[in-house]
Amino acid sequence: MELVEDVRRSAFEPEAWRPSKEKHTNNTVDEEFLSHARYLQQMVVYKTLKYGIKNGDIGLIDRVIGVCCFYFEGTGQSNYAFEMLYLKRLTSTKACDKELRRAILSNSLVNPHGCRDTWQEVDRSLEYLNLELKRELWARRTSTFGLDALFKTTSLTAEYTVCLRRAVEDAFARKGNSTHSVPSAMDDIHTLAFELACDSIKFYDGGREARHQAPDIHTIGLGRVATQKLEVFNAKVIRDEDRIVVPPYERRGATADLDPNSDTMAILVCACSWSF
């Protein structure tokens, strides 16, 4: 466990992807290792969000909303950053009561198959529905069956008729397997890990240059949100001095994330502490 903890500190702590000014001054920054650490920093947020969506864990989703504000702003996606700030206000402040906050997070997901790990985003489900409607219109469009008839007769029943169509095709159509087979990534992961372990991810105390230095989008976005974006957002959206309720770094449970009156919550007035 000590070895695992040492790996976590060396690659996942803020000091790993945000070297001190002294190291920059002495040119002892390992830029290649730094790029790996910043990549892992972003992947932690991505994988957490991906797992939370797939398993319907709204507590995990709520946990990464704040840091997504920094990432979008740090990469120049200001419109997405504004939307994430708006979502952060709805789900983490007293702008909404506890029931409404939970409803907002819960209704962002849908489970079309009813299994534990088949949750998906509502907008993705709508994209699938739009695709089925487009296929239906392409196959059946006539002078009497157009866009209006499609929405009146098919839009609300598309999910059920698609299953019925597939059952009929399986029973009477020619057998054919069009399922895309996903190859195992195990060998590729082991090969890549071996190549990286030979030289790339070794940490050099004396410093090392890299052709491409990954930007610290977390720090860039945090600075922009704290000094510019938050003030603009408050002027446009927030009409009162509503204080931001931010979940602490360590959570006791998913339900505590949504309770601003809980003892495990921290009330802050600046977005700088929305770290994951």
Side-chain angles (χ1 to χ4, degrees):
M1 293 302 296
E2 293 181 359
L3 181 60
V4 174
E5 178 63 17
D6 183 62
V7 171
R8 187 193 67 82
R9 286 196 302 266
S10 61
F12 294 95
E13 285 289 307
E15 292 78 9
W17 41 268
R18 190 187 302 157
S20 62
K21 294 182 179 179
E22 182 180 355
K23 288 188 176 181
H24 283 287
T25 304
N26 299 332
N27 293 325
T28 58
V29 177
D30 188 348
E31 295 181 355
E32 187 163 344
F33 184 85
L34 178 62
S35 296
H36 284 298
R38 288 175 176 173
Y39 170 77
L40 291 175
Q41 168 218 6
Q42 298 165 25
M43 285 300 102
V44 168
V45 178
Y46 169 77
K47 295 296 289 185
T48 302
L49 184 60
K50 193 73 174 177
Y51 181 88
I53 292 174
K54 184 177 181 180
N55 293 274
D57 192 335
I58 60 175
L60 284 179
I61 297 174
D62 177 52
R63 187 173 181 177
V64 299
I65 291 176
V67 72
C68 286
C69 299
F70 302 149
Y71 282 171
F72 284 128
E73 187 64 29
T75 54
Q77 305 292 328
S78 57
N79 291 335
Y80 286 120
F82 188 89
E83 292 182 5
M84 295 304 295
L85 284 172
Y86 191 76
L87 180 60
K88 182 68 178 177
R89 177 177 181 264
L90 294 179
T91 58
S92 299
T93 73
K94 295 182 179 180
C96 302
D97 56 22
K98 180 175 65 175
E99 290 76 14
L100 183 55
R101 286 193 294 271
R102 178 177 290 276
I104 291 173
L105 291 172
S106 300
N107 285 279
S108 64
L109 303 176
V110 63
N111 193 343
H113 303 290
C115 299
R116 182 188 63 83
D117 58 349
T118 56
W119 292 85
Q120 59 185 228
E121 309 92 316
V122 169
D123 55 344
R124 174 180 290 189
S125 180
L126 290 176
E127 290 293 338
Y128 291 154
L129 174 61
N130 292 337
L131 176 61
E132 293 298 335
L133 294 177
K134 185 177 180 180
R135 288 175 175 174
E136 190 74 14
L137 186 63
W138 176 80
R140 297 183 53 194
R141 187 162 194 164
T142 62
S143 59
T144 58
F145 186 84
L147 194 60
D148 293 336
L150 176 71
F151 278 99
K152 288 180 180 179
T153 61
T154 311
S155 59
L156 297 179
T157 60
E159 182 177 349
Y160 307 99
T161 56
V162 166
C163 297
L164 178 61
R165 185 190 67 191
R166 290 175 179 172
V168 172
E169 290 177 351
D170 291 340
F172 299 100
R174 185 176 62 180
K175 300 295 182 180
N177 186 7
S178 61
T179 304
H180 176 68
S181 59
V182 180
S184 175
M186 185 181 302
D187 293 337
D188 294 336
I189 293 174
H190 280 291
T191 303
L192 178 61
F194 177 78
E195 294 293 335
L196 292 176
C198 289
D199 181 67
S200 182
I201 60 175
K202 290 182 179 179
F203 183 74
Y204 287 75
D205 293 326
R208 177 173 45 164
E209 294 183 356
R211 292 183 179 180
H212 172 72
Q213 185 174 358
D216 186 4
I217 60 175
H218 183 279
T219 303
I220 295 173
L222 188 151
R224 291 177 181 175
V225 169
T227 59
Q228 303 173 7
K229 194 74 176 184
L230 190 60
E231 183 178 356
V232 175
F233 174 81
N234 290 337
K236 288 184 177 180
V237 179
I238 301 179
R239 302 302 180 185
D240 56 3
E241 296 181 357
D242 193 14
R243 293 184 297 175
I244 302 297
V245 180
V246 182
Y249 183 75
E250 294 183 356
R251 309 291 185 91
R252 296 181 182 178
T255 56
D257 300 347
L258 306 176
D259 187 4
N261 300 317
S262 173
D263 294 334
T264 63
M265 305 300 291
I267 299 179
L268 305 176
V269 295
C270 179
C272 299
S273 297
W274 296 346
S275 58
F276 176 72

